[in-house]
Amino acid sequence: MKEERKRSEIMQSALKLIAEKGFIGAPMAMVAEKANVGIGTIYHYFKDKNTLINKLYMELEGKLIKFLEGNYNEGDSVRERFLQLYRGVLSYFTDHPLEFRYMEQYFNSPYSIDLRRDRIFDDSREGTILKKLFLEGVEQKFIKDLPLVVLFALSFGPILLLLRDQILGFVTLNDTLIEKTIEACLDSIKR
Amino acid sequence: MKEERKRSEIMQSALKLIAEKGFIGAPMAMVAEKANVGIGTIYHYFKDKNTLINKLYMELEGKLIKFLEGNYNEGDSVRERFLQLYRGVLSYFTDHPLEFRYMEQYFNSPYSIDLRRDRIFDDSREGTILKKLFLEGVEQKFIKDLPLVVLFALSFGPILLLLRDQILGFVTLNDTLIEKTIEACLDSIKR
Amino acid sequence: MKEERKRSEIMQSALKLIAEKGFIGAPMAMVAEKANVGIGTIYHYFKDKNTLINKLYMELEGKLIKFLEGNYNEGDSVRERFLQLYRGVLSYFTDHPLEFRYMEQYFNSPYSIDLRRDRIFDDSREGTILKKLFLEGVEQKFIKDLPLVVLFALSFGPILLLLRDQILGFVTLNDTLIEKTIEACLDSIKR
Amino acid sequence: MKEERKRSEIMQSALKLIAEKGFIGAPMAMVAEKANVGIGTIYHYFKDKNTLINKLYMELEGKLIKFLEGNYNEGDSVRERFLQLYRGVLSYFTDHPLEFRYMEQYFNSPYSIDLRRDRIFDDSREGTILKKLFLEGVEQKFIKDLPLVVLFALSFGPILLLLRDQILGFVTLNDTLIEKTIEACLDSIKR
DNA sequence: TATGAATGAGCGTTCATTCAT
DNA sequence: TATGAATGAACGCTCATTCAT
């Protein structure tokens, strides 16, 4: 119990520091301090900084996927499922800005070398869902017949950019704006 | 003359190293070595590493804008001008992958703190052009009536993501694919 | 009983690790792991690492002396007793290479500060035996009249060097070679 | 000029500290301090601690060999040449106790892994001289017909042990004692 | 008695920056 | 102007030791 608490506090501390100041701005000593833990303690739970960073990423990714799956209803129309995914990503990261900043930095760093975003279409559950949704849409002639990477970029490129702007304080997205935006995303992949 | 050459070689060296290995992978000593210049010399041209990084970014941005302006024809239709801009960004960064990697890293780092992307709509020439184009499109009822940031995200979000994938080797974009993609981008902002 | 087993396994573990990897290559955690014992347990049996190392040395020394005494026959001639001691040391360490490596490292480290080799002539049983043998040989005009340290160095210097070479794999000593070698050692102290 | 002085002071500092306190007792910060040099400076001259230690060893070995060669006269009889070598080693290390302690520790550590004492018979000048001397002695039926390693051990084992005792203060060797000792060493390899 | 999570001083090393030449 | 030797703060990480269970 207690041990899991320490592990979790270390991860929280790392999440905050790295999200706010980047990997360099988050020395292990500072992570330890913010977690109210001795430096050595971190090394009981994580082999080294690299491992901490990767484990943290994987945990955050897991949480995101769980959330998206919770909102995803196989019975809905393709259109509705797309809108639901877009809405989900936007609302999840709006509620979890640190996680957005962290994941963004993670992808933009050598840490993600073995775990590139092309994973998005790998055989993980998340990858499968998205891939199947795209293929189903293409088959129904609802979605343009373009490569998956292109469809992905059209779908999520704008959303990721907007989330960034929102988290940095350049926009505030209200509900009607969000609906208009995700409709626009759909417009770009719709036939 | 000669002095300008040194300055330029330092910047080239920094560009390559940082684009390929990130800011951490580019210590000043290595930048100097790759530029065939003494370490101290860098500090004659740039106050410190921070300054070098910022100056380099500004230079790269300037080159990009110049290129885009060269391809931009005020006489063209709004539609054509959008397509031209999209095409321009895609082709410029396809030809200059190091610059793409550099700028991407720059935005994703504490170095860009004072120079946020909201500059895109500031009073620089580039900002003005893009802003005017969006406003003109909205006025003509050709473009959706959405905030500029949203329109920007819809326009360039997909393109930036695709460029990344292409540079990392996950896709290869041929001309017809490019045309389809930029049409799709236009679809998302078109009424 | 069981407690003694733990103590003994800790010592075995320390012996192996230190003999093979040196004092630095044998952290307490590793000693504990190899002994299938909790880290804390070591500290029940030994005050600290220093104590463990010293106790281990003393135990190994005791075993060696016991072995040498077993082969030592007061009734033999001085000459025979010398040869028997030389033979004993060679055969004991050939059969116990880890113990040789351990003791060698021990003497060559700050750990042995309080327990220098001059002990060899102290009032321990071993010291007494060797001292008496040298003195008896000198008195019988069989051994050169030299200081005890010198006689000791002449006797055992070559043997220790050879053992080292053998354990490291540079020589293999067979029985005839051993006999020739110990005769040569005797030649150096013989009148 | 000045640069070479710093390099040399770093080596002197390392020599003293390591000889007196061992490799662990000589942290880089202490080496730097004793050399009146910044920590970073050490790393200009030596890639890392390992390299410093190895370079230092090689330098000390070079000095020793030079000294021994200076005292070695090809025209002398085999007997005289042996005595001269023994005398040389004894007097060199008596005058340079730190170097003795350093080299002793070096051989007894993982640092010497790639540079084992079997080098003594390799094709370095030193190795060649000693090897030739042994072979010549054997051929002249002056020296026992034993493997080189054994002859080496008989010759230098006692001397190294005695030097150790002397440096630690357990004996003081005067000239007559030295002469008797090296004669005894010769006795062990003489036919 | 036995455990191992927790600790933090201390290590080797890096690197942006300075300054005498 | 150009250099690179010199610096030391700061980093990631190790490990002997403690102590609550």
Side-chain angles (χ1 to χ4, degrees):
Chain A
M1 275 303 90
K2 204 162 197 177
E3 306 114 33
E4 277 320 300
R5 172 118 96 262
K6 293 239 166 181
R7 184 190 161 91
S8 157
E9 289 200 54
I10 291 165
M11 281 184 139
Q12 272 304 308
S13 169
L15 171 60
K16 264 183 221 166
L17 282 169
I18 293 170
E20 280 162 8
K21 309 184 180 193
F23 293 110
I24 330 177
M28 293 300 257
M30 208 181 281
V31 171
E33 194 189 29
K34 196 161 194 138
N36 287 315
V37 144
I39 297 178
T41 305
I42 300 184
Y43 291 87
H44 270 284
Y45 292 99
F46 306 96
K47 200 182 124 265
D48 53 18
K49 191 175 186 178
N50 219 295
T51 304
L52 166 59
I53 286 168
N54 283 306
K55 285 261 171 71
L56 179 50
Y57 171 78
M58 275 151 64
E59 192 157 302
L60 299 182
E61 194 193 54
K63 276 180 57 188
L64 168 63
I65 290 173
K66 212 166 208 165
F67 174 85
L68 293 179
E69 281 175 342
N71 282 20
Y72 188 83
N73 193 342
E74 289 271 6
D76 288 345
S77 69
V78 168
R79 176 193 152 83
E80 190 50 44
R81 277 181 278 161
F82 266 111
L83 292 177
Q84 203 50 31
L85 275 181
Y86 297 165
R87 229 178 253 125
V89 170
L90 270 168
S91 85
Y92 184 82
F93 282 127
T94 298
D95 291 347
H96 302 86
L98 291 178
E99 310 198 358
F100 182 81
R101 292 292 287 148
Y102 184 89
M103 292 174 95
E104 206 185 13
Q105 300 207 46
Y106 183 80
F107 279 122
N108 228 302
S109 80
Y111 290 111
S112 64
I113 277 177
D114 305 325
L115 191 74
R116 292 281 172 80
R117 198 178 45 68
D118 56 336
R119 263 187 31 121
I120 224 83
F121 297 117
D122 70 7
D123 294 332
S124 69
R125 274 173 317 171
E126 181 198 24
T128 310
I129 286 176
L130 201 52
K131 200 198 284 190
K132 273 169 61 181
L133 183 55
F134 278 129
L135 294 177
E136 195 179 334
V138 171
E139 206 176 331
Q140 292 185 11
K141 314 259 181 199
F142 174 63
I143 298 293
K144 288 169 181 153
D145 189 8
L146 289 168
L148 286 179
V149 262
V150 175
L151 291 175
F152 180 83
L154 291 167
S155 293
F156 292 100
I159 286 172
L160 296 176
L161 227 49
L162 269 180
L163 275 166
R164 194 164 199 264
D165 284 345
Q166 184 180 230
I167 285 160
L168 294 179
F170 299 140
V171 225
T172 310
L173 300 173
N174 57 40
D175 284 354
T176 61
L177 199 46
I178 285 173
E179 288 305 312
K180 282 184 191 167
T181 302
I182 64 181
E183 285 282 0
C185 286
L186 204 54
D187 288 341
S188 74
I189 60 170
K190 234 175 33 189
R191 269 215 161 133
Chain B
M1 273 302 92
K2 204 160 196 178
E3 306 101 38
E4 274 321 298
R5 171 113 105 263
K6 294 231 169 184
R7 183 190 163 91
S8 157
E9 291 205 51
I10 291 166
M11 282 181 137
Q12 271 305 307
S13 169
L15 170 61
K16 264 183 219 166
L17 282 169
I18 293 170
E20 281 163 8
K21 309 182 180 194
F23 292 110
I24 328 179
M28 293 298 258
M30 207 180 283
V31 171
E33 193 191 27
K34 198 159 192 140
N36 288 314
V37 143
I39 299 181
T41 307
I42 298 184
Y43 288 85
H44 277 289
Y45 292 99
F46 306 95
K47 196 183 130 261
D48 54 19
K49 192 174 186 178
N50 220 295
T51 305
L52 166 58
I53 285 167
N54 283 308
K55 286 261 171 71
L56 178 51
Y57 171 77
M58 275 150 66
E59 191 157 304
L60 297 182
E61 195 192 55
K63 277 180 59 189
L64 168 64
I65 291 174
K66 211 164 209 165
F67 174 85
L68 292 178
E69 282 175 340
N71 282 20
Y72 188 83
N73 192 341
E74 290 271 7
D76 288 344
S77 69
V78 168
R79 175 193 153 83
E80 190 51 45
R81 274 181 281 162
F82 266 111
L83 293 176
Q84 204 49 33
L85 275 181
Y86 296 166
R87 234 178 251 125
V89 170
L90 270 168
S91 84
Y92 184 82
F93 282 127
T94 298
D95 292 346
H96 301 85
L98 291 178
E99 309 197 357
F100 182 81
R101 294 291 287 146
Y102 184 89
M103 292 173 94
E104 204 185 14
Q105 300 206 48
Y106 183 80
F107 279 121
N108 232 304
S109 80
Y111 291 110
S112 64
I113 278 176
D114 306 325
L115 189 77
R116 294 282 172 78
R117 197 178 48 65
D118 56 336
R119 264 187 31 118
I120 223 83
F121 298 117
D122 69 6
D123 293 332
S124 69
R125 275 172 315 170
E126 180 198 27
T128 311
I129 286 176
L130 200 52
K131 198 197 285 189
K132 273 170 58 182
L133 182 55
F134 277 129
L135 294 178
E136 194 178 334
V138 171
E139 204 176 333
Q140 292 184 12
K141 312 260 181 198
F142 174 64
I143 298 293
K144 287 169 182 153
D145 189 9
L146 290 167
L148 286 179
V149 261
V150 175
L151 291 175
F152 180 83
L154 291 167
S155 294
F156 292 101
I159 286 171
L160 296 175
L161 227 48
L162 271 180
L163 275 166
R164 190 164 202 263
D165 284 344
Q166 185 180 232
I167 285 160
L168 294 179
F170 299 140
V171 227
T172 312
L173 301 173
N174 58 39
D175 283 355
T176 62
L177 200 47
I178 286 173
E179 287 306 310
K180 282 184 191 167
T181 303
I182 62 181
E183 283 284 358
C185 286
L186 204 54
D187 286 343
S188 74
I189 59 170
K190 238 177 28 191
R191 268 212 160 135
Chain C
M1 273 304 90
K2 204 160 198 179
E3 306 102 38
E4 274 321 297
R5 169 114 106 264
K6 294 232 168 183
R7 184 191 161 90
S8 157
E9 291 205 53
I10 291 165
M11 282 183 138
Q12 271 304 308
S13 170
L15 170 61
K16 265 183 218 164
L17 282 169
I18 293 170
E20 282 163 7
K21 310 182 179 193
F23 293 110
I24 329 178
M28 293 298 259
M30 207 180 281
V31 171
E33 194 191 27
K34 197 159 193 141
N36 288 314
V37 144
I39 300 181
T41 307
I42 300 185
Y43 287 86
H44 277 289
Y45 292 98
F46 305 96
K47 197 184 126 262
D48 53 19
K49 192 177 187 179
N50 221 294
T51 305
L52 166 58
I53 286 168
N54 282 309
K55 286 261 172 71
L56 178 50
Y57 171 78
M58 275 151 65
E59 191 156 303
L60 298 182
E61 195 192 54
K63 276 179 58 189
L64 168 64
I65 292 173
K66 213 166 207 165
F67 174 85
L68 292 178
E69 282 174 341
N71 282 21
Y72 188 84
N73 192 342
E74 289 271 6
D76 289 344
S77 69
V78 168
R79 176 192 152 83
E80 191 50 45
R81 275 180 280 161
F82 267 111
L83 292 176
Q84 205 49 32
L85 275 180
Y86 297 165
R87 234 178 251 126
V89 170
L90 270 167
S91 84
Y92 184 82
F93 282 127
T94 297
D95 292 346
H96 301 84
L98 290 178
E99 310 197 356
F100 182 81
R101 293 291 289 147
Y102 183 89
M103 292 174 93
E104 206 186 12
Q105 300 206 47
Y106 182 80
F107 280 122
N108 232 303
S109 80
Y111 291 110
S112 64
I113 278 175
D114 306 325
L115 189 76
R116 292 283 171 80
R117 196 178 46 67
D118 55 335
R119 263 184 35 116
I120 223 83
F121 299 117
D122 68 7
D123 293 331
S124 69
R125 276 171 316 167
E126 179 200 27
T128 311
I129 286 176
L130 202 51
K131 200 197 283 188
K132 274 169 61 182
L133 182 54
F134 278 128
L135 294 176
E136 194 179 335
V138 171
E139 205 177 331
Q140 292 184 11
K141 311 264 180 195
F142 175 64
I143 298 293
K144 287 169 181 155
D145 189 9
L146 289 167
L148 286 178
V149 262
V150 175
L151 291 174
F152 180 84
L154 291 167
S155 294
F156 293 100
I159 286 171
L160 297 175
L161 227 48
L162 271 179
L163 275 165
R164 192 166 201 263
D165 284 344
Q166 185 180 232
I167 284 160
L168 294 179
F170 299 140
V171 226
T172 311
L173 301 173
N174 57 39
D175 284 354
T176 61
L177 199 47
I178 286 173
E179 288 305 311
K180 282 184 191 168
T181 303
I182 63 181
E183 284 284 357
C185 287
L186 205 53
D187 287 342
S188 73
I189 60 171
K190 236 175 30 189
R191 269 214 159 134
Chain D
M1 275 302 93
K2 203 161 197 178
E3 305 113 33
E4 276 320 300
R5 172 119 96 258
K6 293 241 165 178
R7 184 191 161 92
S8 158
E9 289 201 56
I10 290 165
M11 281 183 140
Q12 272 305 308
S13 168
L15 171 60
K16 266 182 220 167
L17 283 168
I18 293 170
E20 282 162 8
K21 309 184 179 192
F23 294 110
I24 330 176
M28 293 301 258
M30 208 180 281
V31 172
E33 194 189 26
K34 196 160 194 137
N36 287 313
V37 144
I39 297 179
T41 306
I42 299 184
Y43 289 87
H44 269 285
Y45 292 100
F46 307 95
K47 199 183 125 267
D48 52 19
K49 191 176 186 179
N50 219 295
T51 304
L52 167 58
I53 286 168
N54 282 306
K55 285 261 171 71
L56 179 49
Y57 171 77
M58 275 151 65
E59 192 156 304
L60 298 183
E61 193 193 55
K63 277 179 58 189
L64 168 64
I65 291 173
K66 213 166 208 166
F67 175 84
L68 292 178
E69 281 174 342
N71 283 20
Y72 189 83
N73 192 341
E74 290 269 7
D76 289 343
S77 69
V78 168
R79 177 193 152 83
E80 191 51 43
R81 275 181 279 163
F82 268 110
L83 293 176
Q84 205 49 32
L85 275 180
Y86 297 165
R87 231 178 253 125
V89 170
L90 271 167
S91 84
Y92 184 83
F93 282 127
T94 298
D95 292 347
H96 302 86
L98 291 176
E99 310 197 357
F100 182 81
R101 293 291 289 147
Y102 183 90
M103 292 174 95
E104 207 184 11
Q105 300 208 45
Y106 183 80
F107 279 121
N108 229 301
S109 81
Y111 291 112
S112 65
I113 278 176
D114 305 325
L115 190 76
R116 293 281 172 80
R117 197 179 45 65
D118 55 337
R119 262 187 31 120
I120 224 83
F121 298 117
D122 70 6
D123 293 331
S124 67
R125 275 172 316 168
E126 180 197 26
T128 310
I129 286 177
L130 201 51
K131 199 199 282 189
K132 274 170 61 181
L133 183 54
F134 278 129
L135 294 177
E136 195 178 335
V138 171
E139 205 178 332
Q140 294 184 10
K141 312 262 180 198
F142 175 63
I143 297 293
K144 288 169 180 152
D145 189 9
L146 289 167
L148 287 179
V149 261
V150 176
L151 292 175
F152 181 83
L154 292 167
S155 294
F156 293 101
I159 286 172
L160 297 175
L161 227 49
L162 270 180
L163 275 165
R164 194 165 199 265
D165 284 345
Q166 184 180 230
I167 285 159
L168 294 179
F170 300 139
V171 227
T172 311
L173 301 172
N174 57 40
D175 284 353
T176 62
L177 200 46
I178 286 173
E179 287 305 312
K180 283 184 190 168
T181 303
I182 64 181
E183 284 284 356
C185 286
L186 205 54
D187 288 341
S188 73
I189 61 170
K190 235 176 32 190
R191 269 217 159 132

